[in-house]
């Protein structure tokens, strides 16, 4: 174990040291050039992306508040390609008066071997040599455990001494400008690795050290490694921070002491943040943030015994980050005013997330809630003073909402599966126990975020910072109000919560009015729109709280329409997307429970909860799409139009199912009447959308019209003509002699399909309109046939024998339809009607020769053929004497001069 650990740590140390060499060599060359008085060649930087607004600029890395004291930092300048900063203010880089010198030639293969690779291999060889020497002594029994540990310690001290001696020697002999490998850093890294392995072997392999002693020594080695990084570069810093956070994993105890653990981690975190601040190493700060957060997880779930140590851990981490990492705050680096810096925000968001996990794991205990509230308040205060950490405010708002949501779900998990109303088993006093603490905390959070969101306007030169504060100030109070309503009122009607929602709406309205009167500043328009949206949201919640369950769907739909109207007054793209998102939420809500209010939908046809749950949202979405279209055609508009059409179709279809099935919209079968009504509604909507898309030109209206028409065609053929055909299957009795289901199931679809074909004529391809004209013809013939069947067979069309009189009636009726179509074609000069007439008469001729000739007997057979012959002769005369004669005269008149 000892040998393997020594080898692994040595390899890691050498790899990290190698990465530092390139940076060190560049700094040495730049320092030599400065000392020689030569101008430095500017680094080649990638072209920056264009920034639309200086106030909404992209995040940039940390910048030092003053020039680094040591030579390496002075030569390196700002981190990650930033502008040079002097005294906390950015200054423009001066243009050299002389052209830059040509770049030095890159070292050749021989120079690389002699100056670099030999050193790296030498460092690895040292570590391996020590490893093999110890292994040989163990195999030969030459050295005991105590001597091995002693020799390991001496070897580590020798490497550390050699590293320090070579570093001083380089300073004295002025060799640092040469492009050589960093020998001191490699020797020091190997020495710290051997020291770390020696201490661990003394504890884990030979039991020479107690857990506490091993813990302290390993921590000292890690801290010493990070301290050495000030002289030897980032490789030792990475080795030290990893060793510091890994040490508690290597030292185990039967009774873990969380206080000792988190005090030690606080020391390591402070050293790591301090080193990151001094040398401006962002990667070191990010690594420390991640490792410190991960060490929160072992203490979760241990009960109240770990609450105090965990609280200390997150508070200490938050305080150290605020002191040393957050830009423009206390000892943090300087940064351009108004810009959001990701590391600064993440350094505060990570302890906040840890505190939220502590609250959840401890069952929302009062102590955990107090710690979480303190960190949230501190986040607002820090972000108020340092805009670089403003993104942490958004994270705090989301975490507050999630914490209260987990409190609701934990206390009443039935809310995840029930649609609302009083629940069995709820305490008599809903404001008992931790509820009071949550009420007080929620009030503090709502006031804090809301006030900060209003007062933050105009305090920054960037638009992002005030918008984040405003969004948090609107979202947090609304989320808290919903959570408290769900926990205390159990989603049932509550006038007190409705009053609170109205008061919140009044507060948002006052903020909107006050901000709209202020001078134009970065982000003010968006923030004003956010508070106006919050006003609509609070009013929608008031309506939800005051009325019966199910009104939340209506309230959200009305809120979407209100947001669309606000976007018309203030053309902010965010508001258009917000309206579309609200519409999407309503759609998801309807998908979760199509009846909106469950079993309470009622049994009254038309005037039931479906009318309100789908009718009001559909009307709201149509109005919202009309307002959104005034500002152009984009994705939010199309989403809103899709929601409007969807809710209109669902309203019609669900009302049909509700009326036909006695209020049961979940019935797994459909009859002739239901399918017929759905087909008629689909065709009627398709006709309306065809008319509408002429004016709007919307692709949504275009696609929806096609989808509804195709659905109607498939339902007509598959449903009405096949599966629900009363002549083929037993599907109930057909009541009424003339006014019956056949009129609704076949005649009405035929008429609507014909109207759709005329509505699409000239707008779509001829095949599309002709297809629905053919569908109208088929449905019309089906109606005539089934109606004759009803006259001869009574209500039950599927049983009985077909007589000669019935068979003759079919032929006569079909022939009459053909004649009527021909007359309409001649009267209105419609070629489509004349072609339809030819099809019907052709079918009649086919029926006469294939069916009537073999089945009819006596006078009916004679009358069938006589009548058919007379009609055909009359049709021929009509075409010769009237139709084509008129065309011939017209053609002759046009040819005359």
């Amino acid at each position: 174990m000892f040998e393997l650990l020594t080898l692994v740590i040595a390899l890691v140390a050498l790899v990290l040291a190698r990465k530092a060499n390139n940076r060190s060599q560049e700094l040495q060359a730049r320092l030599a050039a400065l000392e020689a008085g030569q101008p430095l060649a500017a680094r080649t930087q990638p072209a920056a992306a264009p920034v639309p607004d200086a106030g909404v600029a992209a995040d940039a890395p940390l910048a030092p508040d003053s020039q680094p004291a040591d030579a390496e930092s002075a030569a390196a300048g700002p981190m990650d390609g930033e502008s040079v900063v002097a005294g906390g203010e950015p200054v423009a880089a001066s243009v050299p008066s002389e052209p830059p010198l040509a770049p030095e030639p890159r070292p050749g293969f021989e120079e690389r071997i002699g100056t670099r690779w030999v050193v790296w291999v030498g460092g690895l060889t040292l570590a391996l040599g020590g490893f093999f020497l110890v292994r040989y002594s163990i195999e030969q029994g030459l050295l005991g455990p105590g001597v091995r540990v002693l020799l390991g310690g001496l070897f580590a001290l020798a490497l550390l001494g050699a590293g320090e001696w070579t570093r001083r020697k380089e300073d004295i002999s002025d060799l640092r400008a040469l492009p050589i490998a960093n020998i001191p850093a490699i020797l020091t890294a190997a020495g710290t690795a051997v020291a770390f392995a020696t201490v661990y072997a003394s504890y884990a392999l030979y039991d020479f050290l107690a857990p506490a002693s091993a813990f302290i020594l390993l921590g000292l080695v890690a801290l010493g490694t990070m301290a050495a990084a000030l002289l030897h570069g980032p490789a030792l810093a990475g080795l030290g921070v990893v060793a510091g956070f890994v040490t508690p994993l290597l030292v185990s105890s039967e009774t873990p002491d969380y206080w000792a653990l988190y005090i030690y981690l606080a020391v390591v975190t402070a050293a790591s943040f301090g080193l990151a601040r001094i040398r401006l190493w962002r990667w070191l700060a990010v690594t420390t943030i991640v490792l410190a957060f991960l060490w929160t997880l072992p203490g979760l779930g241990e009960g109240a015994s770990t609450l105090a140590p965990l609280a200390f851990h997150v508070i200490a981490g938050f305080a150290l980050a605020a002191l040393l990492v957050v830009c423009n705050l206390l000892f943090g680096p300087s940064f351009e005013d108004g810009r959001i810096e990701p590391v600064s925000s993440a350094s505060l968001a990570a302890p906040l997330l840890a505190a939220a996990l502590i609250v959840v794991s401890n069952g929302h205990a009062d102590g955990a809630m107090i710690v979480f509230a303190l960190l949230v308040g501190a986040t607002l205060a820090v972000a108020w003073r340092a805009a670089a950490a403003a993104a942490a405010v958004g994270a705090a708002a989301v975490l507050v909402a999630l914490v209260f949501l987990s409190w609701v779900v934990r206390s009443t998990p039935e809310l995840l599966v029930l649609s609302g109303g009083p629940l069995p088993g709820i305490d008599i006093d809903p404001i008992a126990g931790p509820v009071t603490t949550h009420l007080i905390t929620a009030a503090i959070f709502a006031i804090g975020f809301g006030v900060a969101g209003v007062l933050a306007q105009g305090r920054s030169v960037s638009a992002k910072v005030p918008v984040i504060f405003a969004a948090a100030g609107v979202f947090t109070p609304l989320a808290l109000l919903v959570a408290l309503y769900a926990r205390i009122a159990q989603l049932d009607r509550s006038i007190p919560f409705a009053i609170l929602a109205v008061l919140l709406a009044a507060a948002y309205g006052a903020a909107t009015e006050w901000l709209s009167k202020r001078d134009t500043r970065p982000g003010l328009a968006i923030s004003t729109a956010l508070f106006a949206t919050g006003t609509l949201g609070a009013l929608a919640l008031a309506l939800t709280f005051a009325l019966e369950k199910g009104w939340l769907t209506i309230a959200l739909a009305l809120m979407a329409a209100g947001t669309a109207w606000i976007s018309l007054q203030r053309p902010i793209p965010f508001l258009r997307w917000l309206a579309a998102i609200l519409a999407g939420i309503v759609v998801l809500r309807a998908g979760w429970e199509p009846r909106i209010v469950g079993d309470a939908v009622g049994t009254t046809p038309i005037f039931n909860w479906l009318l309100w749950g789908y009718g009001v949202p559909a009307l709201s979405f149509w109005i919202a799409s009309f307002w959104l279209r005034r500002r152009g055609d984009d994705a939010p508009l199309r989403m809103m139009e899709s929601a409007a059409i969807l809710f209109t179709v669902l309203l019609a279809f669900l009302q049909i199912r509700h009326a036909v099935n006695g209020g049961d919209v979940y019935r797994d079968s459909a009859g002739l009447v239901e399918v017929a009504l759905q087909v008629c509604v689909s065709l009627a909507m398709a006709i309306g959308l065809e008319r509408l898309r002429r004016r709007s030109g919307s692709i949504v209206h275009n696609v929806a019209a096609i989808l509804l028409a195709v659905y109607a065609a498939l339902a007509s053929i598959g449903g009405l003509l096949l599966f629900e055909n009363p002549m083929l299957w037993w599907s109930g009795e057909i009541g009424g002699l003339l006014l019956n289901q056949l009129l609704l199931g076949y005649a009405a679809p035929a008429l609507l399909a014909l109207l759709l074909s005329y509505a699409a004529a000239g707008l779509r391809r001829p095949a599309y309109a002709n297809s629905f004209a053919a569908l109208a013809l088929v449905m019309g013939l089906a109606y005539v046939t089934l109606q004759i069947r009803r006259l001869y067979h009574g209500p039950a069309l599927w049983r009985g024998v077909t007589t000669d009189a019935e068979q003759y009636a079919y032929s006569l009726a079909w022939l009459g339809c053909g004649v009527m179509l021909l007359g309409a074609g001649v009267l209105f000069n419609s070629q489509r009607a004349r072609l339809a007439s030819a099809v019907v008469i052709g079918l009649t001729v086919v029926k006469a020769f294939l069916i009537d000739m073999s089945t009819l007997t006596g006078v009916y057979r004679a009358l069938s053929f006589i009548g058919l012959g007379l009609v055909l002769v009359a049709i021929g005369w009509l075409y010769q004497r009237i139709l084509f004669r008129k065309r011939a005269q017209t053609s002759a008149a046009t040819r005359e001069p």
Side-chain angles (χ1 to χ4, degrees), residues 49-132:
V51 179
D53 186 353
V56 202
D59 295 339
L62 300 177
D65 55 354
S66 61
Q67 294 183 356
D70 57 297
E72 183 179 350
S73 300
M79 295 170 49
D80 301 333
E82 286 188 326
S83 59
V84 179
V85 180
E89 298 295 334
V91 295
S94 59
V95 180
S97 57
E98 299 179 2
L101 299 178
E104 297 182 2
R106 302 182 63 180
F109 178 74
E110 180 181 3
E111 184 179 357
R112 290 178 182 275
I113 293 179
T115 61
R116 302 183 185 183
W117 295 356
V118 171
V119 178
W120 298 330
V121 176
L124 177 61
T125 304
L126 283 175
L128 292 176
F131 163 72
F132 290 127

Side-chain angles (χ1 to χ4, degrees), residues 380 384 443-457 459 469-470 472-474 477 507-508 511 514-515 531:
L380 287 175
W384 186 268
I444 295 174
F445 284 157
I447 296 174
F449 278 97
V451 173
V454 175
L455 298 182
Q457 306 307 312
R459 296 189 72 253
F469 272 93
V474 172
Y508 284 150
W514 181 66
L515 292 177
F531 279 103

